[in-house]
Coordinates of all heavy atoms in Angstrom, one line a residue:
M1269 N 0.8 -1.2 0.0 CA 0.0 0.0 0.0 C 0.9 1.2 0.0 O 1.9 1.3 0.7 CB -0.9 0.0 1.2 CG -2.0 -1.0 1.2 SD -3.0 -0.8 2.7 CE -1.8 -1.3 4.0
R1270 N 0.5 2.2 -0.8 CA 1.3 3.5 -0.8 C 0.6 4.5 0.2 O 0.1 5.5 -0.2 CB 1.3 4.0 -2.2 CG 2.1 3.0 -3.1 CD 2.0 3.4 -4.6 NE 3.0 4.3 -5.0 CZ 3.3 4.6 -6.3 NH1 2.5 4.1 -7.2 NH2 4.2 5.4 -6.6
W1275 N 5.0 12.4 4.9 CA 5.2 12.7 3.5 C 6.0 14.0 3.4 O 5.8 14.9 4.2 CB 3.9 12.8 2.7 CG 3.1 11.5 2.5 CD1 2.2 11.0 3.4 CD2 3.2 10.6 1.4 NE1 1.8 9.8 2.9 CE2 2.3 9.6 1.7 CE3 4.0 10.7 0.2 CZ2 2.2 8.5 0.8 CZ3 3.8 9.6 -0.7 CH2 2.9 8.5 -0.4
R1287 N 11.8 18.5 -11.9 CA 10.8 17.5 -11.5 C 10.6 17.6 -10.0 O 11.5 17.9 -9.2 CB 11.3 16.0 -11.7 CG 11.2 15.6 -13.2 CD 9.7 15.6 -13.6 NE 8.9 14.6 -13.0 CZ 7.6 14.5 -13.1 NH1 6.9 15.4 -13.8 NH2 6.9 13.6 -12.5
K1307 N 14.1 10.7 -5.3 CA 13.2 10.4 -6.4 C 13.2 11.6 -7.4 O 13.2 11.4 -8.6 CB 11.8 10.2 -5.9 CG 10.8 9.8 -7.0 CD 9.4 9.6 -6.4 CE 9.3 8.5 -5.4 NZ 7.9 8.3 -5.0
H1325 N 4.9 14.8 -18.2 CA 3.5 14.4 -17.9 C 3.4 13.0 -17.6 O 3.0 12.2 -18.5 CB 2.7 14.8 -19.1 CG 2.9 16.3 -19.5 ND1 2.4 17.3 -18.7 CD2 3.5 16.9 -20.6 CE1 2.7 18.5 -19.3 NE2 3.4 18.2 -20.4
Y1326 N 3.9 12.6 -16.5 CA 3.7 11.2 -16.0 C 2.3 10.9 -15.8 O 1.5 11.7 -15.4 CB 4.5 10.9 -14.8 CG 5.9 10.6 -15.0 CD1 6.8 11.4 -15.8 CD2 6.5 9.4 -14.4 CE1 8.1 11.0 -16.0 CE2 7.8 9.1 -14.6 CZ 8.6 9.9 -15.5 OH 9.9 9.5 -15.7
E1327 N 1.9 9.6 -16.0 CA 0.6 9.2 -15.8 C 0.2 9.4 -14.4 O 1.0 9.2 -13.4 CB 0.4 7.7 -16.1 CG 0.6 7.3 -17.6 CD 0.3 5.8 -17.8 OE1 -0.8 5.4 -17.7 OE2 1.3 5.1 -18.0
Y1328 N -1.1 9.7 -14.1 CA -1.6 10.0 -12.8 C -1.3 8.8 -11.9 O -0.9 9.0 -10.7 CB -3.1 10.2 -12.9 CG -3.8 10.1 -11.5 CD1 -3.7 11.1 -10.6 CD2 -4.6 9.0 -11.3 CE1 -4.4 11.0 -9.4 CE2 -5.3 8.9 -10.1 CZ -5.2 9.9 -9.1 OH -5.8 9.8 -7.9
Q1329 N -1.5 7.6 -12.4 CA -1.3 6.4 -11.5 C 0.1 6.2 -11.1 O 0.3 5.5 -10.1 CB -1.9 5.2 -12.2 CG -3.3 5.2 -12.6 CD -3.5 5.7 -14.1 OE1 -2.6 6.5 -14.6 NE2 -4.5 5.3 -14.7
R1330 N 1.1 6.7 -11.8 CA 2.5 6.5 -11.5 C 3.0 7.5 -10.4 O 4.1 7.3 -9.9 CB 3.3 6.6 -12.7 CG 3.1 5.5 -13.7 CD 4.1 5.7 -14.9 NE 5.5 5.6 -14.5 CZ 6.5 5.9 -15.4 NH1 6.2 6.3 -16.6 NH2 7.7 5.9 -14.9
L1331 N 2.2 8.5 -10.1 CA 2.6 9.5 -9.1 C 2.0 9.1 -7.8 O 0.9 8.7 -7.6 CB 2.1 10.9 -9.6 CG 2.6 11.4 -10.9 CD1 2.0 12.7 -11.2 CD2 4.1 11.5 -10.9
D1332 N 2.8 9.4 -6.7 CA 2.3 9.2 -5.4 C 1.2 10.3 -5.1 O 1.3 11.4 -5.5 CB 3.4 9.4 -4.4 CG 4.3 8.2 -4.3 OD1 3.8 7.1 -4.2 OD2 5.5 8.3 -4.4
Q1333 N 0.1 9.8 -4.5 CA -1.0 10.7 -4.1 C -1.1 10.7 -2.6 O -1.9 9.9 -2.0 CB -2.3 10.3 -4.8 CG -2.2 10.2 -6.3 CD -2.0 11.5 -6.9 OE1 -2.6 12.5 -6.5 NE2 -1.2 11.6 -7.9
P1334 N -0.3 11.5 -1.9 CA -0.2 11.4 -0.4 C -1.5 11.8 0.2 O -2.2 12.8 -0.2 CB 0.9 12.3 0.0 CG 1.1 13.3 -1.2 CD 0.7 12.5 -2.4
R1356 N -8.6 13.9 -1.5 CA -8.5 15.4 -1.9 C -9.8 16.1 -1.9 O -9.8 17.3 -2.1 CB -7.8 15.5 -3.3 CG -6.4 15.1 -3.2 CD -5.6 15.4 -4.5 NE -4.2 15.2 -4.3 CZ -3.3 15.8 -5.1 NH1 -3.6 16.5 -6.1 NH2 -2.0 15.5 -4.9
P1434 N -3.6 -6.7 -5.7 CA -4.1 -5.6 -6.5 C -3.3 -5.2 -7.6 O -3.7 -4.5 -8.6 CB -4.2 -4.4 -5.4 CG -3.3 -4.8 -4.3 CD -3.3 -6.3 -4.3
A1435 N -2.0 -5.6 -7.6 CA -1.1 -5.1 -8.7 C -0.9 -6.2 -9.8 O -0.2 -6.0 -10.7 CB 0.3 -4.8 -8.1
D1449 N -14.9 -0.2 -12.9 CA -14.5 1.1 -13.5 C -13.0 1.0 -13.8 O -12.2 0.7 -13.0 CB -14.8 2.2 -12.4 CG -14.2 3.5 -12.9 OD1 -14.8 4.1 -13.8 OD2 -13.2 3.9 -12.3
E1450 N -12.7 1.3 -15.0 CA -11.3 1.2 -15.5 C -10.3 2.0 -14.8 O -9.2 1.6 -14.5 CB -11.2 1.4 -17.0 CG -12.0 0.3 -17.8 CD -11.8 0.5 -19.3 OE1 -11.0 1.4 -19.7 OE2 -12.5 -0.2 -20.1
L1451 N -10.7 3.3 -14.5 CA -9.8 4.2 -13.8 C -9.5 3.6 -12.4 O -8.3 3.6 -12.0 CB -10.4 5.6 -13.7 CG -9.5 6.6 -12.9 CD1 -8.2 6.8 -13.6 CD2 -10.2 7.9 -12.9
Y1452 N -10.5 3.1 -11.7 CA -10.3 2.5 -10.4 C -9.4 1.3 -10.5 O -8.5 1.1 -9.7 CB -11.7 2.1 -9.8 CG -11.6 1.3 -8.5 CD1 -11.3 2.0 -7.3 CD2 -11.7 -0.1 -8.5 CE1 -11.2 1.2 -6.1 CE2 -11.6 -0.8 -7.4 CZ -11.3 -0.2 -6.2 OH -11.2 -0.9 -5.0
A1453 N -9.6 0.5 -11.5 CA -8.8 -0.7 -11.6 C -7.3 -0.4 -11.9 O -6.4 -1.0 -11.3 CB -9.3 -1.6 -12.8
R1454 N -7.0 0.6 -12.7 CA -5.6 1.1 -12.9 C -5.0 1.7 -11.7 O -3.9 1.4 -11.4 CB -5.6 2.1 -14.1 CG -5.9 1.5 -15.4 CD -5.4 2.4 -16.6 NE -6.0 3.7 -16.5 CZ -7.1 4.1 -17.1 NH1 -7.8 3.2 -17.9 NH2 -7.5 5.3 -17.1
L1455 N -5.8 2.4 -10.9 CA -5.3 3.0 -9.7 C -4.9 2.0 -8.7 O -3.9 2.1 -8.1 CB -6.4 4.0 -9.1 CG -6.0 4.8 -7.9 CD1 -4.8 5.7 -8.2 CD2 -7.2 5.6 -7.4
C1456 N -5.8 0.9 -8.5 CA -5.4 -0.2 -7.6 C -4.1 -0.8 -8.0 O -3.3 -1.1 -7.2 CB -6.6 -1.2 -7.6 SG -8.1 -0.7 -6.8
R1457 N -4.0 -1.0 -9.3 CA -2.7 -1.7 -9.8 C -1.5 -0.9 -9.5 O -0.5 -1.4 -8.9 CB -2.9 -2.0 -11.3 CG -1.6 -2.6 -11.9 CD -1.8 -2.9 -13.4 NE -0.5 -3.4 -13.9 CZ -0.3 -3.7 -15.2 NH1 -1.3 -3.4 -16.1 NH2 0.8 -4.2 -15.6
F1458 N -1.5 0.4 -9.8 CA -0.3 1.2 -9.6 C -0.1 1.6 -8.2 O 1.1 1.8 -7.8 CB -0.4 2.5 -10.5 CG -0.1 2.2 -11.9 CD1 -1.2 2.1 -12.8 CD2 1.2 2.0 -12.4 CE1 -0.9 1.8 -14.2 CE2 1.4 1.7 -13.7 CZ 0.4 1.6 -14.6
Q1459 N -1.1 1.7 -7.4 CA -1.0 2.0 -6.0 C -0.7 0.8 -5.1 O -0.4 0.9 -3.9 CB -2.2 2.8 -5.4 CG -2.5 4.1 -6.1 CD -1.4 5.1 -5.8 OE1 -0.8 5.2 -4.8 NE2 -1.1 5.9 -6.8
G1460 N -0.9 -0.4 -5.7 CA -0.7 -1.6 -4.9 C -1.7 -1.8 -3.7 O -1.4 -2.4 -2.7
S1461 N -2.9 -1.3 -3.9 CA -3.9 -1.3 -2.8 C -5.3 -1.1 -3.4 O -5.5 -0.4 -4.4 CB -3.6 -0.1 -1.9 OG -4.6 0.0 -0.9
R1463 N -9.1 0.3 -2.8 CA -9.6 1.5 -2.1 C -11.1 1.5 -2.0 O -11.8 1.1 -3.0 CB -9.2 2.8 -2.8 CG -7.7 3.1 -2.5 CD -7.2 4.2 -3.5 NE -7.9 5.5 -3.3 CZ -7.5 6.4 -2.4 NH1 -6.5 6.2 -1.6 NH2 -8.1 7.6 -2.3

Side-chain angles (χ1 to χ4, degrees):
M1269 291 181 294
R1270 296 169 90 170
W1275 289 88
R1287 281 299 291 169
K1307 186 185 296 184
H1325 306 290
Y1326 272 53
E1327 293 182 75
Y1328 164 74
Q1329 300 95 329
R1330 292 181 62 189
L1331 300 177
D1332 285 310
Q1333 302 294 319
R1356 292 192 171 197
D1449 174 72
E1450 291 185 7
L1451 178 60
Y1452 172 80
R1454 291 199 300 270
L1455 185 62
C1456 289
R1457 178 180 177 184
F1458 284 100
Q1459 298 293 325
S1461 176
R1463 286 168 62 87

